[in-house]
Amino acid sequence: MNRADPTTTQHLGYRLERLGVVMSPAPGPLEAEGVLNPGSGRGPDGELYLLPRLVAAGNVSRIGLARVVVTDGVPTGVEREGVVLEPDRSWERGASNAGTEDPRVTWVDVLGVHVMTYVAYGPLGPRTAVATSTDLRRWTRHGPVLYTHDDGLDLDLNLFPNKDTVFFPEPVTAPDGVLSLAVLHRPMWDLEDIRPGQGARPPAWLGETRHSIWISFVPLAEVQHDLSALARWRGHRFLAGPEFDYEELKIGGGPPPRRVPEGWLLLHHGVTGELVRAFEQQQNVNYAAGGMILDADEPWRVLRRSPAPLLTAETEAEREGTVPNVVFPTAIEEVDGVPYVFYGMADSRIGVARLVRDSPPSAPVPPPATDLTA
């Protein structure tokens, strides 16, 4: 049933070095409840941009654009350039909620576009949606994702909310032999908030009710013919579930997978603590960043993963905020050949960490974070 095999726990070979805060909420209503969980990309001008989630009063989210300020080769702040996506479609708004949330942005060179996946917080809760852009400023929506039926899975993914979705930057050959774009996602099995009494409804063969990472595919030829095919996913497979202490409650994908000598590096988050209802802001959880290496040619195979977190909530900026004790990686970008990871801090700010490849393995103690914008 496409259940992944147990994976090795050998040293991941990568670590994160915390640097500090690059974006904090600005005064005014637009960011009253925080800035967090950015996408990223290079604009036609060659500049590096973040696409942060901007949260207004009442937990209404929009997606903004902010140019990254670099000082001596290190991201240290941002200059805001407005809002590029807000919940103005009917399926992005409910009777008492609305949001375009948590963008992940992948530059897909073969298409010549940035592909954004984001959470449309509409009438039935969070759904994944897709949009594309050539300049990061003007986005074309392709609508909520539709999951092609696979009777062998005994599962209709269209029934379930889905988050933490992100495309790979390069085509791969899917398990069916078709050159495709791979995409990660995280189904949410608990339907209690949508239809009370249903509870969690994962397929019986899965043996796992906790939120886990799945992988699906979109045939490249279909996308090259019509970009709206980016919102039609097929070939669904379970990729990885919680395995280690810092992932006790659930895991979810982070930035676009990064091609490295060992395969694909996927940063993810793991959650411990106590969860309340799925759609509510949590107050008793701990989010930590981890990582796994996926096979270069068969990215549905996990080769290794970090048994301990790469980054935990230790600084005041990570421990105090709308949702305390959160580090939530969502973007990786290079500056002068050095990869930097941008991450949400306590659902209130955006931090940056340097991604370092270990050789030989080491386990450094990260220094306290500073506010790089000060």
Side-chain angles (χ1 to χ4, degrees):
M1 284 290 187
N2 295 332
R3 180 65 194 255
D5 295 327
T7 56
T8 177
T9 62
Q10 65 179 297
H11 179 75
L12 185 71
Y14 293 84
R15 55 189 167 88
L16 292 173
E17 295 180 346
R18 172 190 287 105
L19 297 177
V21 181
V22 294
M23 188 174 185
S24 296
L30 188 64
E31 301 174 14
E33 293 189 11
V35 294
L36 59 149
N37 305 354
S40 64
R42 292 275 177 183
D45 56 3
E47 295 283 348
L48 174 59
Y49 291 89
L50 296 183
L51 290 95
R53 174 180 170 186
L54 313 175
V55 189
N59 192 31
V60 176
S61 295
R62 298 167 176 84
I63 297 170
L65 186 70
R67 185 180 67 84
V68 176
V69 176
V70 176
T71 306
D72 297 328
V74 177
T76 55
V78 300
E79 294 181 354
R80 289 164 171 80
E81 299 200 4
V83 172
V84 296
L85 204 70
E86 52 187 311
D88 55 13
R89 301 298 194 269
S90 62
W91 42 274
E92 297 168 341
R93 310 183 65 87
S96 59
N97 63 277
T100 48
E101 305 177 349
D102 296 347
R104 307 294 207 280
V105 179
T106 305
W107 171 256
V108 181
D109 196 59
V110 70
L111 300 178
V113 298
H114 301 275
V115 179
M116 177 199 290
T117 52
Y118 67 98
V119 175
Y121 190 22
L124 297 181
R127 296 182 66 187
T128 289
V130 179
T132 55
S133 175
T134 57
D135 62 5
L136 299 175
R137 298 175 184 275
R138 291 170 291 273
W139 290 88
T140 299
R141 286 173 169 87
H142 301 291
V145 168
L146 297 175
Y147 302 87
T148 300
H149 179 67
D150 180 348
D151 197 51
L153 293 179
D154 186 26
L155 172 66
D156 181 2
L157 282 170
N158 295 292
L159 295 177
F160 301 95
N162 209 312
K163 285 189 170 185
D164 300 328
T165 63
V166 63
F167 275 89
F168 284 66
E170 302 170 11
V172 300
T173 301
D176 62 2
V178 176
L179 190 63
S180 301
L181 296 175
V183 58
L184 303 175
H185 54 105
R186 193 205 68 187
M188 302 166 66
W189 305 123
D190 191 352
L191 297 176
E192 195 67 22
D193 283 339
I194 298 174
R195 191 177 181 193
Q198 289 298 308
R201 307 287 295 178
W205 59 265
L206 185 59
E208 176 64 85
T209 61
R210 295 173 296 178
H211 299 169
S212 303
I213 301 173
W214 285 57
I215 187 169
S216 296
F217 303 88
V218 181
L220 179 61
E222 293 184 13
V223 179
Q224 290 174 319
H225 176 70
D226 179 5
L227 285 177
S228 68
L230 286 164
R232 298 190 294 270
W233 301 358
R234 72 183 201 184
H236 323 299
R237 302 172 73 95
F238 177 94
L239 179 69
E243 284 192 17
F244 304 110
D245 289 346
Y246 73 98
E247 306 168 332
E248 179 185 8
L249 293 181
K250 60 180 178 177
I251 64 172
R258 177 178 174 84
R259 191 68 172 86
V260 294
E262 300 86 353
W264 291 101
L265 172 63
L266 170 64
L267 299 181
H268 71 286
H269 61 263
V271 185
T272 59
E274 181 181 354
L275 289 171
V276 295
R277 294 176 62 178
F279 299 166
E280 295 184 3
Q281 291 177 330
Q282 309 294 322
Q283 297 298 307
N284 299 298
V285 292
N286 287 271
Y287 278 71
M292 52 185 85
I293 300 292
L294 311 181
D295 185 84
D297 298 320
E298 299 180 343
W300 54 92
R301 294 200 304 119
V302 180
L303 302 182
R304 68 176 79 160
R305 55 193 291 184
S306 55
L310 306 180
L311 195 70
T312 59
E314 298 176 5
T315 70
E316 181 179 349
E318 296 162 348
R319 295 181 63 85
E320 297 182 9
T322 304
V323 179
N325 303 309
V326 172
V327 295
F328 194 89
T330 53
I332 301 179
E333 293 289 347
E334 285 193 4
V335 177
D336 296 335
V338 178
Y340 292 92
V341 175
F342 297 90
Y343 64 99
M345 310 170 93
D347 274 20
S348 298
R349 308 164 193 86
I350 295 171
V352 64
R354 185 182 292 112
L355 177 65
V356 179
R357 185 168 184 258
D358 281 336
S359 183
S362 62
V365 177
T370 56
D371 189 342
L372 300 173
T373 64

